[in-house]
Amino acid sequence: MDFSDIRTIIIGEAGEYGKRLVRYLEIHLSSAVRVYHFTTAEGMVSFKEEAEIYLLDERFFKELSEEKQKFLKQKKLILLTWREEQGSFCKYDNPQKLLDMLSDFTDYNSDLSDLAAELKDTPTKLTIVYSPVYDEYLEQIARSFMSSGDVYMGAEDLGYKGIDSEYEEGGDMGDLCYYIHLREENILDILQDMLIPKEEVQVLHSPDLYFYLRELTKEDYAWFFDKIKKESPYREVFWGAGNCFVANVDMLRFFDQIILIDSRKNPRQSIFCDRLERVLNINQGEPQIWQRIYREDILDGTAWKERAERTDFTPDGWKNIICQR
């Protein structure tokens, strides 16, 4: 296993388990990896060095201040629990599973580093996936068009409602809106700290309160998107959006590709897509950069069957049909 991306690990656990875990990691990890063990939250907070990985007992984590919890959620945090829970490590499990989790983390970051080097001088492509009504599956729909290393940023009307755990790492679009409004020069570093790895892509969830999106001006968005296109290390950023976002943004100006989400089961959604389609036809130049799709075709998989004879039966082949530039 390659753990070259890990220099420091901090363990927060008050019992004997933490001591055994330190010994286990010191045996199985490279000698260049430093492992620090704290039995009290106060001791860890007073420690000045930051780590790539935090392994914290669930109760230990709850003793930390809200500010410290938020900071750690933006890092690589693995909770140590006595039960099976997604994103956590159960203390009853074989510690080899924890090594696998650490290895997956380093492999993922190595892949991102290689991709960043490959795309260093390539502008990031911006794609908006727009639904005129709130769609709880918008992220899932967008991910059907995404490739390894791409980023999904949620800007839906009603905000993100599907938090799996109160310990979910990363942030949401509401956190980032604060910095966009201030136009921080290190905004891309802030964004990277907030992103949550999901399989081969990265995700920033929508804010819990949609008015965060309304507080930003067209100039704020223009500045932010320009920053992403020119300086970010990503191949493509997918922006999952709803009505409150579009009110402040010129889609044809800001985005390289536009995917309109229609529905055969929602007449209001279809009417809105009809109107927006007419506006796009009037105002866009050549070549066409937008396409209208039905959400049922993506979620039910019927779109793949309908185009099997006309296109490459792969996500990239489908993407070429949907997103023509």
Side-chain angles (χ1 to χ4, degrees):
M1 292 184 178
D2 180 16
F3 299 101
S4 58
D5 286 347
I6 303 176
R7 298 185 301 276
T8 304
I9 294 177
I10 288 180
I11 298 173
E13 213 274 348
E16 186 65 27
Y17 181 86
K19 298 178 183 178
R20 297 198 305 270
L21 186 57
V22 170
R23 291 194 291 268
Y24 182 86
L25 293 179
E26 288 177 340
I27 292 172
H28 290 84
L29 297 180
S30 164
S31 59
V33 179
R34 293 167 295 180
V35 181
Y36 297 98
H37 176 216
F38 296 92
T39 57
T40 66
E42 294 81 3
M44 191 190 79
V45 171
S46 63
F47 188 63
K48 301 301 182 183
E49 187 172 349
E50 294 184 11
E52 283 74 37
I53 304 286
Y54 289 83
L55 306 175
L56 304 183
D57 178 79
E58 187 175 20
R59 293 180 180 178
F60 189 101
F61 180 81
K62 289 181 178 179
E63 292 177 5
L64 298 172
S65 67
E66 184 177 342
E67 180 181 359
K68 188 65 175 179
Q69 289 181 8
K70 184 176 182 179
F71 169 78
L72 292 175
K73 290 175 186 177
Q74 297 172 10
K75 301 294 181 180
K76 183 60 180 179
L77 169 65
I78 298 177
L79 287 178
L80 306 173
T81 67
W82 290 109
R83 63 188 182 282
E84 296 286 347
E85 184 176 334
Q86 185 177 3
S88 301
F89 176 72
C90 179
K91 296 181 183 181
Y92 291 119
D93 286 343
N94 189 316
Q96 176 63 41
K97 182 178 177 181
L98 180 60
L99 291 182
D100 292 339
M101 294 174 71
L102 298 179
S103 179
D104 290 343
F105 168 68
T106 57
D107 290 344
Y108 179 79
N109 280 277
S110 296
D111 290 343
L112 289 183
S113 298
D114 293 341
L115 182 60
E118 175 187 339
L119 300 176
K120 184 177 180 182
D121 299 319
T122 304
T124 297
K125 181 186 295 183
L126 281 176
T127 294
I128 181 172
V129 183
Y130 172 70
S131 175
V133 300
Y134 176 73
D135 194 327
E136 61 179 319
Y137 297 107
L138 191 59
E139 177 188 325
Q140 180 179 335
I141 293 171
R143 288 175 65 181
S144 68
F145 300 100
M146 297 172 69
S147 303
S148 177
D150 288 346
V151 170
Y152 175 83
M153 301 179 68
E156 295 94 331
D157 295 47
L158 301 182
Y160 178 59
K161 301 298 182 184
I163 297 177
D164 298 321
S165 166
E166 63 177 301
Y167 307 113
E168 183 77 39
E169 58 182 312
D172 63 28
M173 193 60 210
D175 298 321
L176 197 63
C177 282
Y178 172 79
Y179 296 100
I180 297 175
H181 189 67
L182 297 179
R183 303 189 190 181
E184 294 284 344
E185 282 303 317
N186 64 334
I187 188 68
L188 296 182
D189 294 331
I190 296 170
L191 169 61
Q192 183 59 54
D193 286 341
M194 292 180 179
L195 291 175
I196 301 170
K198 278 197 174 182
E199 297 176 359
E200 295 183 343
V201 303
Q202 299 182 85
V203 172
L204 184 71
H205 292 305
S206 301
D208 293 330
L209 299 174
Y210 74 91
F211 61 75
Y212 288 123
L213 298 168
R214 288 192 179 275
E215 288 186 338
L216 300 182
T217 66
K218 292 182 180 180
E219 291 74 22
D220 290 327
Y221 282 118
W223 179 89
F224 177 62
F225 290 140
D226 185 65
K227 194 84 170 175
I228 287 181
K229 283 188 176 184
K230 293 179 178 178
E231 300 180 24
S232 78
Y234 316 118
R235 175 186 291 112
E236 189 164 359
V237 170
F238 287 77
W239 190 271
N243 275 330
C244 71
F245 172 74
V246 172
N248 262 357
V249 169
D250 181 345
M251 287 196 289
L252 288 172
R253 174 188 171 194
F254 292 139
F255 294 96
D256 301 297
Q257 298 179 142
I258 301 169
I259 302 176
L260 302 181
I261 307 300
D262 198 353
S263 172
R264 295 187 177 90
K265 301 177 182 179
N266 190 327
R268 186 169 72 91
Q269 189 166 349
S270 293
I271 291 172
F272 191 96
C273 284
D274 286 339
R275 293 174 179 174
L276 186 54
E277 187 177 275
R278 287 196 292 271
V279 172
L280 292 173
N281 277 329
I282 292 173
N283 291 286
Q284 80 167 8
E286 292 294 339
Q288 177 173 311
I289 66 168
W290 65 272
Q291 183 69 35
R292 179 174 172 177
I293 67 170
Y294 289 96
R295 64 186 303 279
E296 293 84 4
D297 290 348
I298 299 297
L299 297 176
D300 300 339
T302 54
W304 299 91
K305 299 176 183 178
E306 293 172 0
R307 289 170 170 81
E309 298 179 357
R310 291 183 288 154
T311 188
D312 177 17
F313 197 68
T314 64
D316 286 338
W318 171 234
K319 186 186 292 185
N320 289 335
I321 289 292
I322 295 299
C323 306
Q324 300 179 21
R325 295 196 61 181

Coordinates of all heavy atoms in Angstrom, one line a residue, residues 21 60 86 198 223 235 256 302-303:
L21 N -4.2 1.1 18.6 CA -4.3 1.6 17.3 C -3.0 2.3 16.9 O -2.5 2.1 15.8 CB -5.5 2.5 17.1 CG -5.8 3.0 15.7 CD1 -6.0 1.8 14.8 CD2 -7.0 3.9 15.7
F60 N -15.3 11.5 21.7 CA -14.2 12.5 21.7 C -14.5 13.6 20.8 O -14.3 14.8 21.1 CB -12.9 11.8 21.2 CG -11.6 12.6 21.4 CD1 -10.8 12.3 22.4 CD2 -11.3 13.5 20.5 CE1 -9.6 13.0 22.5 CE2 -10.1 14.3 20.6 CZ -9.3 14.0 21.6
Q86 N -21.6 4.3 7.6 CA -21.0 4.8 6.4 C -20.0 5.9 6.7 O -20.3 6.9 7.4 CB -22.0 5.2 5.3 CG -21.3 5.6 4.0 CD -22.4 5.9 3.0 OE1 -23.6 6.0 3.3 NE2 -22.0 6.2 1.8
K198 N -16.8 11.5 -3.5 CA -17.9 10.5 -3.7 C -17.5 9.7 -4.9 O -17.6 10.1 -6.0 CB -19.3 11.2 -3.9 CG -19.9 11.6 -2.6 CD -21.4 11.9 -2.9 CE -22.2 12.2 -1.6 NZ -23.6 12.4 -1.8
W223 N -17.2 36.8 -11.3 CA -15.8 36.7 -10.8 C -15.5 35.3 -10.4 O -14.4 34.8 -10.7 CB -15.7 37.6 -9.5 CG -14.4 37.6 -8.9 CD1 -13.3 38.4 -9.2 CD2 -14.0 36.8 -7.8 NE1 -12.3 38.1 -8.4 CE2 -12.6 37.1 -7.5 CE3 -14.6 35.8 -7.1 CZ2 -11.9 36.5 -6.5 CZ3 -13.9 35.1 -6.1 CH2 -12.6 35.5 -5.8
R235 N -11.2 19.3 -14.6 CA -11.5 19.1 -16.0 C -12.9 19.8 -16.3 O -13.0 20.5 -17.2 CB -11.6 17.7 -16.4 CG -12.0 17.5 -17.8 CD -12.2 16.0 -18.2 NE -10.9 15.3 -18.3 CZ -10.5 14.4 -17.4 NH1 -11.3 14.0 -16.4 NH2 -9.4 13.8 -17.5
D256 N -20.3 26.8 -20.5 CA -19.9 26.2 -21.8 C -21.0 25.2 -22.3 O -21.1 25.0 -23.5 CB -18.6 25.4 -21.6 CG -17.5 26.4 -21.1 OD1 -17.1 27.3 -21.9 OD2 -16.9 26.1 -20.0
T302 N -33.8 4.5 -19.6 CA -34.4 4.3 -20.9 C -33.6 5.1 -22.0 O -33.7 4.7 -23.2 CB -35.9 4.7 -20.9 OG1 -35.9 6.1 -20.5 CG2 -36.7 3.9 -20.0
A303 N -33.0 6.2 -21.7 CA -32.3 6.9 -22.7 C -31.1 6.1 -23.3 O -30.9 6.2 -24.5 CB -31.7 8.2 -22.0

